[in-house]
Amino acid sequence: MFDFDTLRPGILVEPEGLIARRKDLRRAAFTTAVGSLPRKPALMLAPETSVAAAARRLADSGTGAALVICSGTLLGLLGEPDVVACVASGADLGHTSVWQAMSPEPPFCLDTDSIASALRIMKTHNARHLPILRAEGPPVGLLDGATIGRWFSDQLTALILD
């Protein structure tokens, strides 16, 4: 028994029934744009920010990564692994800039890309966080696996209760 079997006692929903009613999560993943996903605003850092300050801001925001931005252009991504690598190297975090510690030119997706496309990019590059860019203009956000997981959970719940 799955957790969602208890949402409507006495009614067991089989995946085949959902597909037969033309309600398929695969279709939704290929037709829903990443830009439509609800998410927190991305943490954005200037390249000259110290790693110590960036680590504090990451901890305060409860996120695992930040976009490194200069003049509205994505330069890189600073994630928790980058901060850990900096600490392990013995660098002075107060005098080391995120420019020196970030992962340059990270994989990204456009806000018009599908969720399925974003998942493929994340899997291909083994990325925990994916910057979301517009075709024109500054970055709009940061996508992570938890956001995608919440979207799939919400979609599945809606399909079952429909």
Side-chain angles (χ1 to χ4, degrees):
M1 177 188 274
F2 296 100
D3 288 341
F4 55 77
D5 292 338
T6 61
L7 296 176
R8 284 194 176 165
I11 299 175
L12 182 64
V13 179
E14 297 294 331
E16 294 81 16
L18 295 174
I19 294 169
R21 293 190 329 228
R22 306 197 52 79
K23 299 199 176 189
D24 186 357
L25 281 176
R26 291 170 296 186
R27 182 175 291 113
F30 280 99
T31 58
T32 303
V34 168
S36 69
L37 293 176
R39 62 190 181 283
K40 296 187 297 188
L43 179 58
M44 297 189 190
L45 302 170
E48 63 273 5
T49 306
S50 73
V51 173
R56 281 190 297 276
R57 291 188 61 196
L58 284 171
D60 291 345
S61 69
T63 185
L67 302 174
V68 181
I69 305 290
C70 184
S71 300
T73 302
L74 177 67
L75 300 177
L77 184 71
L78 181 77
E80 290 171 343
D82 300 315
V83 174
V84 169
C86 204
V87 169
S89 73
D92 179 359
L93 301 185
H95 291 92
T96 303
S97 70
V98 296
W99 173 259
Q100 296 166 295
M102 70 179 188
S103 298
E105 300 179 10
F108 64 89
C109 66
L110 297 176
D111 61 346
T112 55
D113 288 346
S114 70
I115 292 171
S117 176
L119 279 170
R120 187 184 75 246
I121 294 167
M122 290 176 86
K123 182 171 174 45
T124 300
H125 295 280
N126 197 26
R128 293 174 43 200
H129 298 90
L130 196 61
I132 304 170
L133 307 179
R134 287 189 188 106
E136 300 286 330
V140 295
L142 191 60
L143 184 64
D144 62 6
T147 300
I148 295 173
R150 281 190 300 276
W151 179 83
F152 272 110
S153 176
D154 292 347
Q155 295 299 307
L156 182 59
T157 301
L159 288 173
I160 290 167
L161 294 178
D162 185 20

